[in-house]
Amino acid sequence: MQTSRTKFGEQTPPAIFPNMMGLFGLGLAWRQAERAFALPQAFSQVVLGAVTLLFLFGFVAYLRKVSRRPGVLVDDLRVLPGRAGIAAMTLSLYLLAASLVPVNAEIAKLVLLMGLLIHLIVVVLVLRVLFTGPAEQRQVTPVWHLVFVGFIIAPLSAIPLGYQTASTNILFTTGAVAVAIWGISLWQLISRIPPAPLRPLLAIHLAPACLLGTVAAMSAQMTVAYVAVAMAVLILLALLTGARFLTQAGFSPLWGAFTFPIAAFANLMFAMDSAAGGTTFALIGILALVAASAIIPVIAVKVFQAWAKGQLAVKTNAARA
């Protein structure tokens, strides 16, 4: 993905990775749907295989950018789209690990550990950027969920790999952080309406509730799971009610923030169906999956087209190596 004036990876925009998160989540939701309805696990394998190849291409391209000038990582972390994108890149490694568990548990374990290591490095660098940069950069944003609560995605592969105790600790620790971010964000939203171009980021608030519920269901922490489901439904209803408000500025690369929360909600419903039984969760899961299948690829294709044309880096202020 380059222009004639740009060497491979020289200005790879981190904004590609939220969409890859959404596509990974979509593939995992299809895997759960196939299990829930006893269908052949074929379509989900195709989706996850294709997304894995796409992610690896983008990951290598970004690593190439960092290898050319390591300081470019910090430069990208200084801008909101870059911070969200780099966080999404690390979280995509967790999703890749979850995709690989049924295929090869040992490789999935290595990818999970690599994701944890890179995520910890990103958290340290983000904290450095926040505390050494302008005061306005320290304002809490929905992107904080990706950076500081994103560890909650690790148990999706850690639990089936046998790391139950660590996963439970992650569940309650990230849950507390998510509640703090939700509370501060609600106060900020009441105090000041965010500018229209940044409003799509509000959709990120849905993802932690869905992931906390999914991990709780996988861990048989059903009280926590039901609380998370209630929170996810409330946030989803608020987002649907304010859809025109969220999209007022028109399409932008930040619409990638709509992709992975939708997929996360579908995964939550199927996880609850598996843990609690009944048909309600499965039916809601199918409806969410249909919506996710219609929305996520459209947004992802538009963002990837901008990447291919060399426009995405400019639109998101991506640093150049």
Side-chain angles (χ1 to χ4, degrees):
M1 302 287 180
Q2 57 185 325
T3 67
S4 58
R5 299 180 181 178
T6 305
K7 296 180 180 179
F8 175 71
E10 187 177 25
Q11 202 175 6
T12 304
I16 60 177
F17 293 108
N19 302 276
M20 294 184 188
M21 273 188 71
L23 291 170
F24 266 125
L26 182 61
L28 292 172
W30 271 105
R31 176 187 284 175
Q32 290 210 70
E34 290 164 351
R35 290 174 180 170
F37 294 95
L39 299 173
Q41 293 192 13
F43 184 71
S44 63
Q45 292 178 357
V46 172
V47 174
L48 290 171
V51 179
T52 296
L53 292 175
L54 180 63
F55 169 72
L56 291 176
F57 179 83
F59 188 62
V60 169
Y62 194 79
L63 289 181
R64 172 62 176 162
K65 174 178 171 178
V66 174
S67 70
R68 291 174 61 86
R69 184 170 69 85
V72 78
L73 178 60
V74 174
D75 291 342
D76 275 331
L77 288 172
R78 289 194 176 103
V79 296
L80 199 57
R83 195 177 308 152
I86 291 172
M89 179 180 69
T90 64
L91 303 188
S92 293
L93 288 168
Y94 296 147
L95 295 172
L96 174 58
S99 304
L100 290 172
V101 168
V103 180
N104 190 310
E106 291 303 316
I107 295 178
K109 188 181 298 184
L110 289 174
V111 174
L112 171 62
L113 293 176
M114 181 172 68
L116 285 167
L117 176 60
I118 295 176
H119 194 173
L120 287 170
I121 292 171
V122 168
V123 168
V124 171
L125 291 176
V126 168
L127 289 173
R128 178 188 172 194
V129 167
L130 292 177
F131 286 108
T132 59
E136 56 267 20
Q137 277 195 350
R138 292 190 283 275
Q139 181 179 359
V140 174
T141 71
V143 174
W144 281 38
H145 282 303
L146 298 179
V147 178
F148 302 113
V149 186
F151 292 100
I152 190 59
I153 302 180
L156 298 183
S157 58
I159 291 174
L161 289 172
Y163 300 109
Q164 182 62 62
T165 301
S167 296
T168 301
N169 291 334
I170 290 173
L171 169 65
F172 287 102
T173 302
T174 56
V177 177
V179 169
I181 294 174
W182 281 325
I184 296 171
S185 298
L186 179 60
W187 178 81
Q188 288 178 341
L189 186 60
I190 294 172
S191 304
R192 181 177 61 86
I193 301 299
L198 297 181
R199 291 174 193 169
L201 295 176
L202 293 172
I204 295 175
H205 286 301
L206 174 61
C210 297
L211 288 159
L212 289 165
T214 299
V215 173
M218 293 174 66
S219 304
Q221 301 278 351
M222 295 312 295
T223 299
V224 177
Y226 278 111
V227 171
V229 167
M231 187 70 179
V233 170
L234 286 174
I235 295 174
L236 178 61
L237 290 175
L239 293 174
L240 292 175
T241 302
R244 181 174 295 181
F245 171 80
L246 296 174
T247 59
Q248 185 176 359
F251 182 82
S252 78
L254 292 185
W255 278 38
F258 292 132
T259 62
F260 53 88
I262 303 173
F265 186 81
N267 277 286
L268 170 62
M269 293 297 105
F270 288 122
M272 290 299 295
D273 172 68
S274 177
T279 59
T280 302
F281 287 119
L283 291 175
I284 297 174
I286 282 293
L287 292 175
L289 181 56
V290 169
S293 299
I295 295 171
I296 294 173
V298 173
I299 295 175
V301 166
K302 286 188 176 183
V303 172
F304 294 149
Q305 284 177 339
W307 179 27
K309 294 176 181 178
Q311 301 169 349
L312 187 60
V314 176
K315 291 180 178 179
T316 58
N317 294 318
R320 184 184 295 271

